[in-house]
Amino acid sequence: MAAGWRRTLGLLADGRVLAVGRSSEGQCEVRSWREMVALSCGDWHSVGVRSDGSALAAGNNRRRQCAVEGWRDLAAVSAGYLHTVGLRADGRAVATGDRATGACEVDDWEDVVALGAGSYHTVGVTASGRVLAAGDNSHRQCEVGDWHDIVAVAAGSTHTLGLRADGTVVAAGNNADGQCEVDAWSGVRLPV
């Protein structure tokens, strides 16, 4: 499943996609998608990875955030506000969309195993557990350079989370609503 701004996508076992919620920008027009293996929701667009490693997108494309038709060999994809990032099987990142914030500046990222798109920033984790960040840092959401032993990352609107191999969680960025208060968390695991 994937949750976005006012909509939800579901991936069926046969690779088809279900969608409910706001579709005024076309972000729920995924009924024709087949052979999908991964999904992500941005604010006004939806993206997915097919079993052949190609990508599909639907919804608002004003900043070319849906311009993924040429992407190949993808392992994952993540949709932000006005940008989309993809993780190729070779560990390199690709991006499309609004370049004004710097969130698409991932062309030199290598050895990436997971990534996430926030509203105006992108984060990735390398095989060595190091975290990379690009884009808006007005809330210090890109202050992740000293994180270590990270196995997964998640980007919120203006904050970033990292899951350490030991099951603890670290956070950076906007904590106005307590969304970064994860210091006491332990035993958190990735889904199998």
Side-chain angles (χ1 to χ4, degrees), residues 37-138:
V37 295
L39 301 172
S40 182
C41 293
D43 281 14
W44 296 317
H45 70 294
S46 302
V47 294
V49 177
R50 297 183 72 197
S51 60
D52 66 0
S54 63
L56 294 174
N60 179 316
N61 193 30
R62 284 186 209 125
R63 301 293 170 93
R64 297 192 39 79
Q65 64 266 37
C66 292
V68 299
E69 58 277 348
W71 290 4
R72 299 288 178 262
D73 301 319
L74 292 180
V77 69
S78 186
Y81 173 55
L82 294 172
H83 75 291
T84 301
V85 292
L87 174 60
R88 293 191 340 204
D90 66 2
R92 299 200 46 105
V94 293
T96 189
D98 187 3
R99 296 203 172 262
T101 65
C104 291
E105 303 302 318
V106 300
D107 296 335
D108 61 344
W109 288 10
E110 296 178 344
D111 206 25
V112 176
V113 295
L115 49 69
S119 288
Y120 300 103
H121 74 295
T122 301
V123 293
V125 61
T126 67
S128 66
R130 189 175 56 116
V131 179
L132 308 170
D136 176 61
N137 193 31
S138 60

Side-chain angles (χ1 to χ4, degrees), residues 14-36:
D14 66 3
R16 291 181 299 130
V17 180
L18 302 174
V20 294
R22 182 183 172 137
S23 189
S24 60
E25 303 278 338
Q27 62 269 51
C28 287
E29 294 176 15
V30 297
R31 200 170 236 132
S32 65
W33 292 9
R34 299 288 183 265
E35 301 175 13
M36 303 307 292

